Every structure is written in C-alpha cells, then in structure tokens.
Amino acid sequence: MNRTVGIFLALMSIGYFAFTQAIDSLKIPYLLQSEEEIKMRKLLSRIGNYEHAIGKSFGDFSTLDIKGTSISQDHLQGKITLVNFWFEACPPCHLEFNDLNLLYSRYKADSNFQIISFTVDGIDEAKKNVDKHNLKYRIISIPRILCYTLNFNHGFPTNFIVNSDGKVSFGHTGVGEGGTNAFNDILVPKIDSLLSNLKRGN
C-alpha cells in the first residue's frame, strides 16, 4: 500500500510540474516568476518592446552627420552602438534627450561605445535642437523613408542596441505611459554586458 501511495504522489507531482510549466509557456502573467522578472516584464510591456528585429543586421546607410562628417553602417562594426530615432515635433522624443545625454556622459570615455541619432528633421532644424537641448551625441539628418527603413517601420522615439557585429541586440519604441526607467533598468545593463563581452573577446 505504501509503495502504491508513493507512486501515486510521484505521478501527481510530475503532473503538477508539467501543468505549471505548460501554463507558464502560455505566458499567463507572472506565474512562477521572481519579483525582478515581474518588474522587467511590466517594464517591457510599457515600452513597446519587439523581438522581430533581434539578430538582424542594422540597415544600410551612407551619409553625413550634421557636422559634415561621413558615416555609414561600417562605423557600427567593432563597437557597441545605441541607435536613436527622433524628430522635433515629437514630444515623447524630447523626454529622452536628457537620458541620452546622461548615457553619452556615462560611456564617453569608452571608445568601444557610441551613440548615433537619426532624425527626419532637416540639418538646420536638427542643429537648432542640438543647441536648444544641448545634445552631446552624434546627430544624422536623413529622409523620412530611410528612417522608417532603418527602424523596421516603427514609430518614434525608437532605440536600438547594435552589437559589435552590426546586428540588433535589443530595440524598443516609445517611452511608455508616464515615462519609464528603460535607460537605467534595461539599456544600461544590456550595454554593460555587451561591452564586457567585447572586451573579453567573446
């Protein structure tokens, strides 16, 4: 009798484990997740995270930045790059300016990291915003159609992290309701991890 009961309980335990895993695979909210995982899922759900671009090469471009210096997708090779998309008549884009400046200051001494920022505004308008908002990172004015091609037809603001092979490691669109801590909570850890791997030669 004891052996039968033991087998029954073992089968029940296996069945329960399989059931909970099946439920979790259906992504029923937050089941069997840590507080940190719950926080991250909530944050990602607010910033329009998308995975279809992950692992794909960043698109082709060859142009001049607003200072007249040439730049192309070749400049992404061998560095970790935050790529930003914005335009003047986009209030949510303005909410990211300070965070982008802080990110630039955080990594400016690291030659393995760079920020490049694409805008659909003309060069003169872009220069006005650089002065107005004291933007410290590299700004590139490109046609709207190219902007949408490079950001995988998403809206504004959009940010990508591109790895040293020129492939997208992470991307999100929008700052979310009431803003988010996406820069500190998500982008910085991902950038730090990629930089660490790059310096170790991984």
Side-chain angles (χ1 to χ4, degrees):
M1 178 65 71
N2 290 338
R3 182 180 180 185
T4 302
V5 171
I7 293 173
F8 175 76
L9 291 175
L11 290 173
M12 287 291 291
S13 297
I14 293 171
Y16 176 76
F17 177 79
F19 174 71
T20 55
Q21 292 303 305
I23 289 177
D24 192 49
S25 69
L26 293 174
K27 301 189 183 302
I28 291 179
Y30 317 134
L31 184 64
L32 303 178
Q33 294 180 9
S34 67
E35 290 184 7
E36 187 63 28
E37 289 171 329
I38 292 172
K39 176 183 176 182
M40 187 63 65
R41 176 168 288 191
K42 286 181 177 180
L43 184 55
L44 289 173
S45 70
R46 291 169 57 200
I47 63 175
N49 179 49
Y50 48 94
E51 298 182 354
H52 63 278
I54 306 303
K56 293 184 178 179
S57 294
F58 192 76
D60 293 341
F61 65 95
S62 182
T63 185
L64 302 176
D65 64 21
I66 62 172
K67 294 183 178 180
T69 304
S70 62
I71 185 170
S72 71
Q73 73 272 15
D74 291 340
H75 289 81
L76 304 181
Q77 296 293 322
K79 293 180 179 289
I80 307 304
T81 307
L82 179 78
V83 184
N84 169 254
F85 294 87
W86 65 282
F87 64 98
E88 165 58 24
C90 167
C93 298
H94 292 206
L95 295 176
E96 292 191 341
F97 287 157
N98 185 57
D99 285 325
L100 286 163
N101 273 337
L102 290 174
L103 205 64
Y104 171 84
S105 297
R106 181 187 182 99
Y107 295 104
K108 67 179 181 180
D110 193 332
S111 61
N112 292 306
F113 178 78
Q114 62 184 341
I115 297 176
I116 61 173
S117 183
F118 293 101
T119 180
V120 300
D121 298 330
I123 293 177
D124 290 341
E125 185 68 25
K127 287 180 177 179
K128 289 179 182 178
N129 278 288
V130 168
D131 293 338
K132 179 179 179 180
H133 301 285
N134 191 30
L135 304 183
K136 301 175 181 179
Y137 42 90
R138 199 169 187 181
I139 307 291
I140 306 158
S141 172
I142 59 175
R144 182 176 294 269
I145 189 171
L146 180 55
C147 232
Y148 278 110
T149 298
L150 294 178
N151 76 2
F152 294 85
N153 292 306
H154 280 266
F156 299 82
T158 290
N159 293 289
F160 289 109
I161 299 175
V162 179
N163 67 21
S164 58
D165 294 324
K167 295 183 178 180
V168 176
S169 291
F170 179 78
H172 77 78
T173 298
V175 294
E177 297 180 5
T180 72
N181 293 318
F183 281 78
N184 288 328
D185 291 345
I186 297 178
L187 297 187
V188 166
K190 289 183 180 295
I191 291 168
D192 285 345
S193 177
L194 288 169
L195 285 172
S196 179
N197 288 337
L198 178 62
K199 291 170 184 177
R200 289 201 305 265
N202 295 342

Short mmCIF file of all heavy atoms in Angstrom, two decimals, residues 167-191:
data_model
loop_
_atom_site.label_atom_id
_atom_site.label_comp_id
_atom_site.label_asym_id
_atom_site.label_seq_id
_atom_site.Cartn_x
_atom_site.Cartn_y
_atom_site.Cartn_z
N LYS A 167 24.72 43.87 -35.58
CA LYS A 167 23.40 43.25 -35.51
C LYS A 167 22.62 43.75 -34.30
O LYS A 167 23.20 44.08 -33.26
CB LYS A 167 23.53 41.73 -35.45
CG LYS A 167 24.13 41.14 -36.72
CD LYS A 167 24.19 39.62 -36.66
CE LYS A 167 24.74 39.06 -37.97
NZ LYS A 167 24.80 37.57 -37.95
N VAL A 168 21.31 43.83 -34.44
CA VAL A 168 20.44 44.36 -33.39
C VAL A 168 20.39 43.39 -32.22
O VAL A 168 20.09 42.20 -32.39
CB VAL A 168 19.03 44.60 -33.94
CG1 VAL A 168 18.09 45.06 -32.81
CG2 VAL A 168 19.05 45.64 -35.06
N SER A 169 20.70 43.89 -31.02
CA SER A 169 20.63 43.08 -29.81
C SER A 169 19.37 43.38 -29.01
O SER A 169 18.90 42.54 -28.24
CB SER A 169 21.85 43.34 -28.92
OG SER A 169 23.01 42.82 -29.50
N PHE A 170 18.84 44.59 -29.16
CA PHE A 170 17.64 44.98 -28.42
C PHE A 170 17.04 46.20 -29.10
O PHE A 170 17.74 47.01 -29.71
CB PHE A 170 17.99 45.32 -26.97
CG PHE A 170 16.81 45.77 -26.15
CD1 PHE A 170 15.90 44.82 -25.67
CD2 PHE A 170 16.58 47.10 -25.88
CE1 PHE A 170 14.80 45.22 -24.93
CE2 PHE A 170 15.49 47.51 -25.14
CZ PHE A 170 14.59 46.57 -24.65
N GLY A 171 15.72 46.32 -29.00
CA GLY A 171 15.07 47.50 -29.54
C GLY A 171 13.76 47.78 -28.83
O GLY A 171 13.10 46.86 -28.35
N HIS A 172 13.41 49.05 -28.73
CA HIS A 172 12.09 49.39 -28.21
C HIS A 172 11.64 50.72 -28.80
O HIS A 172 12.43 51.55 -29.22
CB HIS A 172 12.07 49.43 -26.68
CG HIS A 172 12.67 50.66 -26.07
ND1 HIS A 172 12.03 51.86 -26.00
CD2 HIS A 172 13.88 50.85 -25.48
CE1 HIS A 172 12.80 52.75 -25.38
NE2 HIS A 172 13.93 52.16 -25.07
N THR A 173 10.34 50.89 -28.84
CA THR A 173 9.73 52.12 -29.36
C THR A 173 8.90 52.76 -28.28
O THR A 173 8.11 52.09 -27.62
CB THR A 173 8.84 51.82 -30.57
OG1 THR A 173 9.64 51.27 -31.62
CG2 THR A 173 8.17 53.09 -31.09
N GLY A 174 9.07 54.06 -28.11
CA GLY A 174 8.24 54.81 -27.17
C GLY A 174 8.78 54.78 -25.76
O GLY A 174 9.55 53.91 -25.37
N VAL A 175 8.36 55.76 -24.98
CA VAL A 175 8.81 55.86 -23.59
C VAL A 175 7.77 55.32 -22.63
O VAL A 175 8.01 55.24 -21.44
CB VAL A 175 9.16 57.32 -23.21
CG1 VAL A 175 10.34 57.80 -24.00
CG2 VAL A 175 7.96 58.24 -23.44
N GLY A 176 6.60 54.94 -23.12
CA GLY A 176 5.58 54.33 -22.26
C GLY A 176 4.77 55.35 -21.49
O GLY A 176 5.06 56.54 -21.47
N GLU A 177 3.73 54.87 -20.86
CA GLU A 177 2.84 55.74 -20.10
C GLU A 177 3.58 56.33 -18.90
O GLU A 177 4.11 55.60 -18.08
CB GLU A 177 1.62 54.95 -19.62
CG GLU A 177 0.75 54.43 -20.76
CD GLU A 177 -0.44 53.65 -20.25
OE1 GLU A 177 -0.61 53.61 -19.02
OE2 GLU A 177 -1.18 53.10 -21.07
N GLY A 178 3.59 57.64 -18.85
CA GLY A 178 4.24 58.31 -17.74
C GLY A 178 5.76 58.19 -17.76
O GLY A 178 6.42 58.47 -16.78
N GLY A 179 6.31 57.77 -18.88
CA GLY A 179 7.75 57.56 -18.96
C GLY A 179 8.15 56.24 -18.34
O GLY A 179 7.36 55.55 -17.70
N THR A 180 9.37 55.85 -18.49
CA THR A 180 9.87 54.61 -17.91
C THR A 180 11.29 54.83 -17.43
O THR A 180 11.88 55.88 -17.64
CB THR A 180 9.91 53.47 -18.95
OG1 THR A 180 10.98 53.74 -19.86
CG2 THR A 180 8.61 53.34 -19.72
N ASN A 181 11.81 53.80 -16.77
CA ASN A 181 13.23 53.79 -16.41
C ASN A 181 13.99 52.90 -17.37
O ASN A 181 14.94 52.23 -16.99
CB ASN A 181 13.40 53.30 -14.97
CG ASN A 181 12.83 54.27 -13.97
OD1 ASN A 181 13.01 55.48 -14.11
ND2 ASN A 181 12.13 53.76 -12.97
N ALA A 182 13.54 52.86 -18.61
CA ALA A 182 14.12 51.94 -19.59
C ALA A 182 15.62 52.12 -19.74
O ALA A 182 16.36 51.14 -19.88
CB ALA A 182 13.42 52.09 -20.94
N PHE A 183 16.08 53.35 -19.73
CA PHE A 183 17.51 53.59 -19.93
C PHE A 183 18.32 52.96 -18.81
O PHE A 183 19.31 52.25 -19.06
CB PHE A 183 17.78 55.08 -20.05
CG PHE A 183 17.46 55.64 -21.40
CD1 PHE A 183 16.15 55.92 -21.77
CD2 PHE A 183 18.46 55.87 -22.32
CE1 PHE A 183 15.85 56.41 -23.03
CE2 PHE A 183 18.18 56.37 -23.58
CZ PHE A 183 16.86 56.65 -23.94
N ASN A 184 17.93 53.22 -17.57
CA ASN A 184 18.71 52.70 -16.44
C ASN A 184 18.44 51.22 -16.18
O ASN A 184 19.36 50.46 -15.85
CB ASN A 184 18.41 53.50 -15.18
CG ASN A 184 19.02 54.88 -15.21
OD1 ASN A 184 20.07 55.08 -15.81
ND2 ASN A 184 18.36 55.84 -14.59
N ASP A 185 17.19 50.81 -16.31
CA ASP A 185 16.81 49.46 -15.92
C ASP A 185 17.07 48.42 -17.00
O ASP A 185 17.24 47.24 -16.70
CB ASP A 185 15.33 49.40 -15.54
CG ASP A 185 15.04 50.15 -14.25
OD1 ASP A 185 16.01 50.45 -13.52
OD2 ASP A 185 13.87 50.45 -13.97
N ILE A 186 17.07 48.84 -18.26
CA ILE A 186 17.22 47.88 -19.35
C ILE A 186 18.44 48.18 -20.22
O ILE A 186 19.30 47.32 -20.43
CB ILE A 186 15.95 47.86 -20.24
CG1 ILE A 186 14.75 47.38 -19.41
CG2 ILE A 186 16.15 46.94 -21.44
CD1 ILE A 186 13.45 47.37 -20.17
N LEU A 187 18.53 49.40 -20.75
CA LEU A 187 19.58 49.69 -21.71
C LEU A 187 20.98 49.61 -21.08
O LEU A 187 21.89 49.01 -21.67
CB LEU A 187 19.36 51.06 -22.34
CG LEU A 187 18.08 51.24 -23.16
CD1 LEU A 187 18.08 52.59 -23.86
CD2 LEU A 187 17.93 50.14 -24.18
N VAL A 188 21.15 50.23 -19.93
CA VAL A 188 22.48 50.23 -19.30
C VAL A 188 22.98 48.82 -19.01
O VAL A 188 24.13 48.48 -19.36
CB VAL A 188 22.49 51.11 -18.02
CG1 VAL A 188 23.76 50.85 -17.20
CG2 VAL A 188 22.41 52.58 -18.40
N PRO A 189 22.18 47.94 -18.38
CA PRO A 189 22.67 46.57 -18.15
C PRO A 189 23.01 45.84 -19.44
O PRO A 189 24.01 45.09 -19.49
CB PRO A 189 21.50 45.89 -17.42
CG PRO A 189 20.78 47.00 -16.76
CD PRO A 189 20.87 48.15 -17.72
N LYS A 190 22.21 46.03 -20.49
CA LYS A 190 22.49 45.35 -21.76
C LYS A 190 23.77 45.90 -22.40
O LYS A 190 24.57 45.14 -22.94
CB LYS A 190 21.30 45.51 -22.71
CG LYS A 190 20.08 44.69 -22.29
CD LYS A 190 18.97 44.82 -23.30
CE LYS A 190 17.76 43.98 -22.87
NZ LYS A 190 18.02 42.53 -22.85
N ILE A 191 23.94 47.21 -22.34
CA ILE A 191 25.17 47.81 -22.88
C ILE A 191 26.38 47.33 -22.11
O ILE A 191 27.41 46.96 -22.69
CB ILE A 191 25.06 49.35 -22.85
CG1 ILE A 191 24.02 49.84 -23.86
CG2 ILE A 191 26.42 49.99 -23.15
CD1 ILE A 191 23.65 51.30 -23.71
#
